[in-house]
Amino acid sequence: MNYKTLTLTLLLGLASLQARAEMTMSHEGHDMSQMAEMGDMQEMGDAQTMTKGVITRIDEANSKLGIKHEAISNLKMPPMNMVFRLASPALLEGLKVGDAVSFHAENPAGKLTVTKLQKQ
């Protein structure tokens, strides 16, 4: 095999690999930037995921709430019974110990806080 043939074979092989890589990157012709945007939207949606639990204690004076809850996906927290701060005391309206609830919690500045709360 001469150098011209070898060079041509290598160039064709590289061109073929590049074409395959571009197809893979574009997911068979789909614009991957749109898929990235969808992923960003899903992450935003995950940030507002509601978690189920049962109220175990209410401390209105300190705006705190005890909840025995399932895993909290956005905080990567396993099921447990714990006390949360409340973003607003108004979240407690109409709720009592023993009520089944859905809630969203966040961890601003290392303080676990319930930002949404609704009775089931």
Side-chain angles (χ1 to χ4, degrees), residues 31-85:
D31 183 0
M32 291 303 283
S33 65
Q34 290 174 343
M35 294 185 78
E37 288 172 13
M38 288 171 41
D40 291 343
M41 289 180 0
Q42 183 173 358
E43 286 178 20
M44 288 173 54
D46 289 346
Q48 295 299 312
T49 300
M50 299 295 277
T51 303
K52 293 181 182 177
V54 176
I55 296 176
T56 58
R57 105 178 218 210
I58 295 176
D59 181 354
E60 287 185 60
N62 294 305
S63 289
K64 293 184 180 180
L65 177 69
I67 304 175
K68 182 176 182 180
H69 61 81
E70 62 185 19
I72 304 175
S73 61
N74 63 300
L75 297 177
K76 297 177 179 41
M77 184 179 293
M80 65 178 78
N81 190 359
M82 64 183 304
V83 175
F84 295 89
R85 293 179 178 269

Side-chain angles (χ1 to χ4, degrees), residues 22-38:
E22 287 174 1
M23 277 190 75
T24 301
M25 292 299 291
S26 68
H27 198 261
E28 298 180 9
H30 296 289
D31 183 0
M32 291 303 283
S33 65
Q34 290 174 343
M35 294 185 78
E37 288 172 13
M38 288 171 41

Side-chain angles (χ1 to χ4, degrees), residues 30 91 96:
H30 296 289
L91 292 171
K96 63 184 183 312

